[in-house]
Amino acid sequence: MLVLALLPSRMIRWVEWVAQPVEALVAPVQAPIQSVVAWLLPAAHTRDTDDAQVADLRRELAEMRTLYLSEQQSTKDLRRQLADLQLGASLNPDLVVQQLPARVIGGGADLAGGMLKVQAGTSNGVANNSVAVVGGVHLVGRVTRADLRMCYVVPITEPAAGPVQGTIMLADTIKGPLCHLTPKGDGTLRGLIADGSGTPADIKPGMVVRLDDREGWPPSAQMLVIGAVERVDPADQPLHRIVTVRPPIRPDRLSELVIRILETSAPRSGSGGGPP
């Protein structure tokens, strides 16, 4: 074959006489042989196509997994919000209170006095002195200014909120002594325990303190949870004690809350009942 390859073409024309009969014999089986070879040794472009399809399928799987997890979290949030609203509704069954979920769009260092800017306003029935809560029963603060679509909430832990009176709960349904609390600006409230006459109650850390201030707060706020007793210290005056109460939530980390609106200040039919 090497010698024939080096010869001039005019000297190897006789090879064509042999090639033609051989091609006639090989042609019928050439196509099946190519199919078998292609099956045993797939072409590079076929592998590239398969790899691209696999990559597309993996990308779609990742997108569907992300969508599933997002919907699962949304469902969990809605169930938690429903449980919070039901818990808040059962707190004062004698009051007709509208509970309005709303987003917190600013607060803490963004606004003076630690106020929270909330996406709900007078168009939703919010008014000055409306009460803000989280978790159905945990008191956040109250509205000090309400615009058409926004309102501003002063948390109870801010000095601007002023003093508040609470009841230390000896058990779930047993009220203990009153306490006059003042926000200290460090996330806690502190004040004297009004033990009164008789044997002082045994106050321990962890006891729940609820709002009991009918002169300073609206009815929709009564018996909401202010926080838990963190520390009990002796006062300068004999037979007096000072209690430190810490709320379970930090207002500067809130992304949403619920505004409790008395039915008398709720919007009339047709004026809207939810956040814009």
Side-chain angles (χ1 to χ4, degrees), residues 76-95 97-101 133-138 210 224 258-260:
K76 183 178 178 180
D77 292 341
L78 289 175
R79 287 178 177 174
R80 175 185 55 79
Q81 189 178 82
L82 178 60
D84 292 346
L85 293 176
Q86 290 175 341
L87 184 61
S90 63
L91 186 65
N92 293 308
D94 296 335
L95 294 177
V97 177
Q98 177 188 358
Q99 301 192 87
L100 177 68
V133 300
V134 293
V137 297
H138 297 288
R210 293 180 179 271
L224 290 172
V258 174
I259 299 179
R260 292 169 61 84

Side-chain angles (χ1 to χ4, degrees), residues 156-218:
I156 58 172
T157 53
E158 293 295 329
V164 64
Q165 180 174 277
T167 294
I168 301 175
M169 304 299 294
L170 302 180
D172 290 342
T173 59
I174 301 176
K175 293 183 179 181
L178 296 174
C179 53
H180 305 284
L181 303 173
T182 301
K184 308 307 293 183
D186 60 353
T188 65
L189 299 96
R190 186 175 170 86
L192 286 173
I193 299 176
D195 285 317
S197 59
T199 304
D202 185 16
I203 306 302
K204 300 178 181 179
M207 286 185 170
V208 175
V209 180
R210 293 180 179 271
L211 183 75
D212 192 354
D213 191 347
R214 300 189 181 277
E215 294 183 1
W217 287 75

Side-chain angles (χ1 to χ4, degrees), residues 104 106-108 114-116 134 139-141 153-158 187 247-257:
V104 178
M115 288 193 300
L116 303 177
V134 293
L139 179 63
V140 176
V153 176
V154 176
I156 58 172
T157 53
E158 293 295 329
I249 52 95
R250 289 184 52 176
D252 59 336
R253 294 186 177 181
L254 287 177
S255 60
E256 62 180 5
L257 48 74

